[in-house]
Amino acid sequence: MTHALKTPDSSQKSNKALYGGTSSRRITVRDIAAAKERGEKWPMLTAYDAMTASVFDEAGIPVMLVGDSMGNCHLGYESTVPVTMDEMTLLSAAVVRGTKRALIVGDLPFGSFQEGPVQALRSATRLVKEAGVGAVKLEGGERSAHQIELLVQAGIPVMAHIGLTPQSVNAYGGYPVQGRGEEAAQQLLRDAKAVQDAGAFAVVLELVPAELAAEVTRILHIPTVGIGAGVECDAQVLVWTDMAGMTPGRLPRFVKQYAKLREALGDAAKAFAEDVVGGAYPAEEHSFH
Ligand SMILES: Nc1nc(=O)c2c([nH]1)NC[C@@H]1CN(c3ccc(C(=O)N[C@@H](CCC(=O)O)C(=O)O)cc3)CN21
Ligand SMILES: CC(C)C(=O)C(=O)O
Ligand SMILES: [Mg+2]
């Protein structure tokens, strides 16, 4: 007998619910499709290491993205552009090892799929075989449709990512809102249909007007995962260090902070340092004789 997850309204939720459900087996892309049919919203967080991922897994987060945002969040780069397949594979494997229930999605980093479908398949295969991810994500709508098609044919579930695609930061000259104006909105709709037709099981909509994201969500039969894309998306994703208050400096406007981990961790470090300098640590109970 397993213990049911006690969320406030768990009694109203089906045992199949992605969040709050009671199934303990690993979530699959079929469960994701079923959630859209039920009209159920779901949360996704990024994760970059086994320990943090195990916290989110125990909290019931059903889908985790090993984002190339590890570049700026974990590896100290200025953007996601320098992230390599070796880095993605190492940290994706750690997240898979740290979780039992969540579907783990590995991000294909810049330069690992742009050469074409064959390169994309080689990169995605590495994340599936060496890291054990259940799906991969790659940036681009119409421009990435051929890559998505080949991966799906090969049996690798693909999450697409349209709107703001941060790997193109050098082309944008920053991180501007996408899909503003009639022409840009039409392009976003074409991108959304292209990735669905190519076989993607879900699509991230990043930094697009809420009304446009709502329209895409209504039109598509695959779930939309919003980040800065309003409340009508089927799912929402945030970079975990942003939502937990760990990221230093100014955050994008779409971020909501649910904790102040940076402050809490800094306070812990200072308290430890003061104990060491003042001789209060180690105390008798931490010592051996
Ligand atoms: N820590 C972190 N969080 C993220 O969400 C994230 C990353 N890193 N790295 C990769 C990309 C970069 N992202 C970003 C970065 C900045 C903005 C930003 O500041 N946007 C402006 C909007 C500008 C406009 O109005 O056009 C903002 O104020 O939110 C948005 C997305 C999202 N991704
Ligand atoms: C923010 C999400 C969608 C992402 O691509 C990442 O974290 O790398
Ligand atoms: Mg990414």
Side-chain angles (χ1 to χ4, degrees):
M1 172 88 189
T2 53
H3 294 276
L5 201 61
K6 290 283 188 225
T7 54
D9 55 351
S10 64
S11 58
Q12 276 116 45
K13 280 183 175 163
S14 120
N15 62 354
K16 291 175 182 164
L18 285 184
Y19 177 71
T22 52
S23 165
S24 57
R25 65 159 173 78
R26 206 178 272 276
I27 287 160
T28 71
V29 294
R30 287 181 63 189
D31 301 313
I32 305 288
K36 176 125 186 173
E37 301 220 326
R38 293 194 296 268
E40 183 188 313
K41 291 193 179 193
W42 47 274
M44 175 163 104
L45 283 174
T46 67
Y48 314 108
D49 68 279
M51 211 189 304
T52 311
S54 73
V55 173
F56 298 154
D57 207 47
E58 285 166 20
I61 298 295
V63 187
M64 281 178 229
L65 171 68
V66 188
D68 61 350
S69 50
M70 70 169 63
N72 44 296
C73 293
H74 255 54
L75 302 177
Y77 301 134
E78 279 205 8
S79 76
T80 61
V81 170
V83 175
T84 66
M85 274 301 298
D86 285 348
E87 289 161 345
M88 281 304 315
T89 306
L90 181 72
L91 302 201
S92 298
V95 169
V96 171
R97 286 192 292 266
T99 54
K100 293 192 179 81
R101 179 171 179 268
L103 170 66
I104 309 304
V105 183
D107 227 357
L108 289 182
F110 181 64
S112 75
F113 63 92
Q114 283 84 352
E115 284 175 31
V118 172
Q119 189 205 17
L121 181 57
R122 195 181 309 123
S123 302
T125 301
R126 194 169 164 210
L127 285 185
V128 171
K129 288 178 79 120
E130 294 180 32
V133 302
V136 302
K137 179 169 82 56
L138 56 83
E139 294 186 6
E142 284 185 319
R143 70 177 194 262
S144 298
H146 287 113
Q147 279 89 332
I148 296 171
E149 264 171 34
L150 185 61
L151 268 50
V152 171
Q153 269 178 34
I156 301 174
V158 178
M159 180 178 282
H161 181 162
I162 63 175
L164 180 92
T165 50
Q167 291 171 12
S168 306
V169 60
N170 292 318
Y172 295 127
Y175 300 103
V177 174
Q178 301 294 300
R180 280 198 173 135
E182 188 53 31
E183 207 173 301
Q186 290 305 325
Q187 180 62 52
L188 191 86
L189 287 166
R190 281 198 301 277
D191 284 335
K193 285 176 195 149
V195 300
Q196 172 171 282
D197 290 347
F201 74 92
V203 58
V204 170
L205 304 181
E206 178 159 357
L207 222 60
V208 302
E211 300 73 21
L212 182 57
E215 189 182 351
V216 172
T217 303
R218 277 193 302 274
I219 291 171
L220 294 191
H221 62 255
I222 59 172
T224 57
V225 185
I227 174 164
V231 75
E232 300 288 326
C233 296
D234 298 297
Q236 297 289 333
V237 59
L238 281 176
V239 166
W240 89 259
T241 55
D242 295 350
M243 75 89 199
M246 187 68 180
T247 310
R250 190 185 149 277
L251 294 173
R253 189 159 78 85
F254 55 73
V255 174
K256 180 172 175 182
Q257 236 178 258
Y258 292 87
K260 294 185 173 174
L261 276 202
R262 198 175 178 79
E263 204 179 300
L265 201 51
D267 287 348
K270 282 182 205 160
F272 168 67
E274 275 160 33
D275 273 4
V276 170
V277 170
Y281 177 83
E284 200 43 45
E285 71 260 36
H286 309 117
S287 305
F288 303 92
H289 299 287

